[in-house]
Amino acid sequence: MTTTFSRGEVINTPQLVINAGVIGFGFIGEVHVRAIRASGGVVTAIAAKTLDEARGAAQKMGIAKALTIDEMLSDEDIDVIHICTPNVFHAELAEQVIRSGKHVICEKPLATTVPQAQHLNDLALANDVIATVPFVYRYHPSVREARSRVSHLKEPLNLMHGFYLQDWLSRETTVNWRLDSTIGGPSRAFGDIGVHWCDLLEFVTGHRITHLNAQLMKVFQNRGEKVEIDTEDGATMIFRTDKGAQGSLVLSQVSAGRKNKLWFSFESPSESFVFDQESPESLWIGGLASNQIVMRGVNEESTGAKSYSILPAGHPQGYQDCFNSFVSDTYRSIGGAEIEGLPNFKDGLRAAKLTEAVLTSAKSGNWIQIK
């Protein structure tokens, strides 16, 4: 049988149908369900906080089975489990999935501590399962285009800066489980969105952040019914990389009008590269003689970008398309394919180390080295 995957690769092997289970069902759970189906997988079952919630979610999304977590772990029909629960449950559930012999996609953060993340990465390797984390902004074709062009630079990048700004927590009355460190973990703004920006920096440039100095920002000390908040609304950070570059990052979840403004500029003396996640169809490239805007889907796209440009130019791709490509790559990896750039538990461990360094630096006021 000839199988054609979502990005046009034709492989002469029998089609592998992946049966998936999903644990947790909020905004991100629905994103995972759509991505599973777009990738040719089957959403076999869903589990939630209670069986009644699972039944409600199953009915809403047309999923055949509502199960308890234990039932899902022992269900022989399920090949992979997607963990879409609040953060504090990720590590425990991921370990249970791996020990059950199933593959796993775990929402970030992989774990709320470095030792937990290290343990999970080691466990996944020891049990030979595919274990991935959805750093999905890697899957914008314009990001892949930037990565390709940076790899061919004659002069090294020396300045990297940007921001990731949101406004969904800009009202003092807004409450959410992410605000509670016992559920969301010790870092909110950096642990939630800062790690995405840092993952893009390291993925696109090949640099690794080795030293950082950070400070946290808390705009609202209390929220809702005077509930004291112990996680940050934002953060600022300066850093150095292993290849001699310097940079800065600004994060906020309380910036009015900024819905999901992930923006970076990676710069050298000869060329600069700017990407804006809210306008993801183009990559701005600065030069000494002229600047250019490279649109997604054009003939001049690099091979790495073309493989994720699934629609013709002028037909915008967005966040859900990135998620679909990520899940498709994970499933192809389960099928035995070698996938370049697939974010796995090692990347989840890296995010945990960066988060720990940011919190340590903010508490001490010192530069922190990330070994």
Side-chain angles (χ1 to χ4, degrees):
M1 179 183 295
T2 298
T3 300
T4 303
F5 290 95
S6 61
R7 286 176 300 288
E9 305 94 328
V10 177
I11 301 175
N12 294 313
T13 56
Q15 185 171 1
L16 176 66
V17 176
I18 301 295
N19 293 306
V22 178
I23 302 177
F25 197 75
F27 152 71
I28 202 64
E30 291 193 29
V31 171
H32 278 255
V33 169
R34 290 192 291 268
I36 293 165
R37 289 169 172 165
S39 303
V42 177
V43 188
T44 302
I46 188 162
K49 186 177 181 180
T50 67
L51 195 53
D52 284 342
E53 288 181 6
R55 291 186 181 115
Q59 183 176 20
K60 178 182 178 181
M61 296 297 290
I63 299 169
K65 293 190 288 188
L67 303 175
T68 66
I69 293 173
D70 287 342
E71 288 171 338
M72 184 175 287
L73 291 169
S74 60
D75 191 327
E76 294 184 357
D77 292 335
I78 294 175
D79 305 302
V80 59
I81 292 179
H82 295 235
I83 299 172
C84 308
T85 66
N87 302 347
V88 71
F89 304 111
H90 290 179
E92 178 183 358
L93 288 172
E95 177 161 358
Q96 290 177 4
V97 173
I98 293 169
R99 293 193 183 282
S100 75
K102 301 183 188 302
H103 306 288
V104 59
I105 296 177
C106 183
E107 268 299 325
K108 50 151 242 324
L110 174 59
T112 57
T113 69
V114 171
Q116 284 179 324
Q118 182 71 65
H119 172 66
L120 290 171
N121 183 58
D122 295 345
L123 193 65
L125 292 172
N127 285 270
D128 196 28
V129 299
I130 303 302
T132 62
V133 178
F135 285 111
V136 296
Y137 296 121
R138 293 184 180 194
Y139 285 87
H140 280 295
S142 296
V143 166
R144 298 283 175 145
E145 184 68 25
R147 187 174 191 242
S148 176
R149 290 176 180 250
V150 166
S151 71
H152 292 95
L153 274 178
K154 294 181 180 179
E155 294 180 292
L157 297 169
N158 51 39
L159 183 62
M160 305 173 181
H161 58 104
F163 47 81
Y164 196 160
L165 309 174
Q166 299 175 329
D167 71 355
W168 72 285
L169 290 172
S170 291
R171 292 181 176 87
E172 190 174 8
T173 54
T174 301
V175 293
N176 182 275
W177 63 261
R178 293 182 182 275
L179 299 163
D180 185 347
S181 63
T182 65
I183 301 175
S187 172
R188 178 174 22 111
F190 187 85
D192 187 21
I193 61 178
V195 293
H196 271 301
W197 193 93
C198 293
D199 179 74
L200 279 189
L201 179 150
E202 297 189 342
F203 179 70
V204 169
T205 70
H207 287 234
R208 303 281 279 183
I209 296 172
T210 57
H211 298 78
L212 63 81
N213 191 302
Q215 56 183 348
L216 305 182
M217 174 185 71
K218 189 189 296 183
V219 174
F220 300 117
Q221 303 299 319
N222 300 279
R223 288 177 178 268
E225 299 297 324
K226 298 301 180 182
V227 176
E228 186 175 352
I229 302 301
D230 59 355
T231 55
E232 75 276 11
D233 291 313
T236 57
M237 180 178 93
I238 55 177
F239 59 84
R240 301 194 298 268
T241 76
D242 59 344
K243 297 183 180 181
Q246 300 181 18
S248 65
L249 172 62
V250 176
L251 304 170
S252 173
Q253 295 180 314
V254 291
S255 291
R258 301 299 196 181
K259 301 307 178 186
N260 199 48
K261 191 73 170 180
L262 186 162
W263 183 97
F264 68 64
S265 183
F266 302 148
E267 301 165 8
S268 78
S270 57
E271 283 189 300
S272 299
F273 304 89
V274 174
F275 172 76
D276 180 354
Q277 197 279 149
E278 289 188 342
S279 301
E281 288 288 279
S282 63
L283 175 70
W284 184 91
I285 302 175
L288 295 175
S290 63
N291 301 331
Q292 60 177 314
I293 295 175
V294 178
M295 300 303 297
R296 184 198 62 76
V298 297
N299 291 334
E300 295 77 15
E301 253 186 338
S302 66
T303 301
K306 278 184 184 297
S307 62
Y308 294 98
S309 287
I310 58 175
L311 297 175
H315 299 72
Q317 292 180 208
Y319 176 79
Q320 184 68 58
D321 296 294
C322 290
F323 227 104
N324 296 353
S325 293
F326 158 73
V327 171
S328 179
D329 270 5
T330 300
Y331 287 5
R332 292 172 61 218
S333 183
I334 290 172
E338 293 289 333
I339 307 296
E340 192 274 331
L342 178 64
N344 57 30
F345 274 21
K346 184 177 180 180
D347 300 296
L349 171 60
R350 175 67 176 166
K353 290 181 177 180
L354 287 166
T355 303
E356 180 183 74
V358 165
L359 294 176
T360 302
S361 175
K363 184 176 181 179
S364 66
N366 298 325
W367 280 88
I368 300 297
Q369 181 178 5
I370 305 167
K371 298 181 180 180

